[in-house]
Amino acid sequence: MKVYLSVDMEGVTGLTDPEEMHAGKRGYERGCELMTADANAAVEGAFDAGATGVLVNDAHGSTKNLRIDLLDPRASLVRGPGKAQRMAQGLDGSFQAACFVGYHARAGVQHGVLNHTWMGKEIQNVYLNGELCGETRLVAACAGFHGVPVAVVTGDEAVGEEARELLGDVETVAVKKGIDKFAAELLPPSVAQARIREVMARALGRLSDFTPYELAAPYTLGVEWNSTAIAAAVALVPGVKSAGSRHTEFTTDDFTQIMALFGIFATIGGQVACGSGPYG
């Protein structure tokens, strides 16, 4: 049984401050250690359930956050920028299960700790085939495109609710309960990680209960940007069309193009936002 782990950071045990998730900022190094500990708990649970291999993908920001020197030696790690599939890099039909660790609620979800979708400030909302879409739905749809079911989602309470609404009887672990976007009631790491380990083992022990989250092609990615300048810039990408002053759309039959395009969007959006001054 091969297991795929996509590991984000905003939903990691103990973290509530954006500075804890950015290199060079206060608390970042400790944040990386906590992120790795959550990943290790999931890896351990997977092997407890009989996994023959676990691939871990660092899916946050720079994608250089997980500590390879602290990672469970039975797992392998995909790390670094330039990954075409970004949060789903390495995921294909050879895996029997996909699990999301450290995930967070989509943009605008009340009490969602550090809630956002893909980019913290540049994106207002994301839509997939006309429906609101967070990162959980986006990566679950990519897994479904490859025929792989999602078995576990860990993060804050809000992302667990989002995952169950989307995926049904998926196993979830709430390591924190949101009070506001930047405040939460936290479980101690030892408690949270024990729960992650236990839930991973339980979920993979009943893998036949899960079905892939499959959407019918074609797939349309809609992005409502916070800036007209960003929307105008990304609309220059071949295949992307303007659907409003701050809204762009892209349609394809190949979901891997959706993941790749989001990476391009992030690069363009970040550059335009940084260069546009206070009115951009």
Side-chain angles (χ1 to χ4, degrees):
M1 173 173 60
K2 287 179 62 179
V3 178
Y4 179 86
L5 298 183
S6 176
V7 186
D8 204 355
M9 201 168 185
E10 286 85 0
V12 161
T13 299
L15 303 184
T16 60
D17 187 338
E19 290 201 351
E20 296 168 328
M21 281 145 252
H22 289 84
K25 300 292 186 178
R26 177 177 51 84
Y28 172 71
E29 295 301 328
R30 178 58 176 151
C32 292
E33 293 172 0
L34 289 166
M35 182 184 184
T36 308
D38 277 13
N40 278 341
V43 171
E44 186 175 347
F47 280 105
D48 287 347
T52 56
V54 177
L55 178 64
V56 180
N57 179 32
D58 189 327
H60 174 74
S62 69
T63 67
K64 298 183 289 185
N65 313 284
L66 286 168
R67 289 278 301 273
I68 186 62
D69 56 318
L70 300 179
L71 190 69
D72 189 308
R74 294 171 292 181
S76 58
L77 174 65
V78 177
R79 179 182 190 269
K83 299 184 295 189
Q85 294 300 290
R86 301 290 171 143
M87 297 185 77
Q89 184 66 37
L91 177 58
D92 60 29
S94 69
F95 291 91
Q96 282 68 59
C99 302
F100 304 160
V101 176
Y103 269 50
H104 54 83
R106 68 175 182 265
V109 172
Q110 190 174 24
H111 307 309
V113 183
L114 299 165
N115 69 83
H116 68 281
T117 303
W118 204 267
M119 302 181 77
K121 296 179 180 179
E122 293 83 358
I123 291 176
Q124 184 77 7
N125 283 304
V126 172
Y127 301 88
L128 187 57
N129 287 7
E131 297 183 6
L132 274 173
C133 177
E135 292 168 28
T136 298
R137 185 167 187 241
L138 185 75
V139 185
C142 186
F145 178 74
H146 294 293
V148 180
V150 177
V152 175
V153 177
T154 84
D156 68 329
E157 191 174 82
V159 78
E161 294 172 356
E162 184 177 326
R164 289 190 298 273
E165 180 181 345
L166 177 72
L167 302 171
D169 194 26
V170 65
E171 294 271 8
T172 62
V173 182
V175 304
K176 49 193 162 187
K177 180 180 181 180
I179 296 170
D180 198 358
K181 186 170 185 176
F182 305 112
E185 179 182 343
L186 308 173
L187 290 180
S190 60
V191 175
Q193 288 149 18
R195 292 185 185 178
I196 293 172
R197 183 169 57 251
E198 293 165 4
V199 167
M200 279 289 297
R202 182 172 69 234
L204 297 179
R206 63 179 192 93
L207 195 54
S208 60
D209 293 341
F210 304 111
T211 57
Y213 177 67
E214 296 178 318
L215 296 178
Y219 313 107
T220 297
L221 174 71
V223 181
E224 181 186 0
W225 300 93
N226 283 329
S227 164
T228 56
I230 297 176
V234 300
L236 297 175
V237 176
V240 178
K241 66 178 183 179
S242 175
S245 62
R246 293 189 296 113
H247 199 116
T248 57
E249 287 188 349
F250 174 77
T251 300
T252 179
D253 287 331
D254 182 354
F255 203 90
T256 64
Q257 292 183 352
I258 296 284
M259 301 303 297
L261 186 66
F262 239 139
I264 296 170
F265 279 2
T267 300
I268 295 173
Q271 287 297 315
V272 173
C274 288
S276 298
Y279 296 102

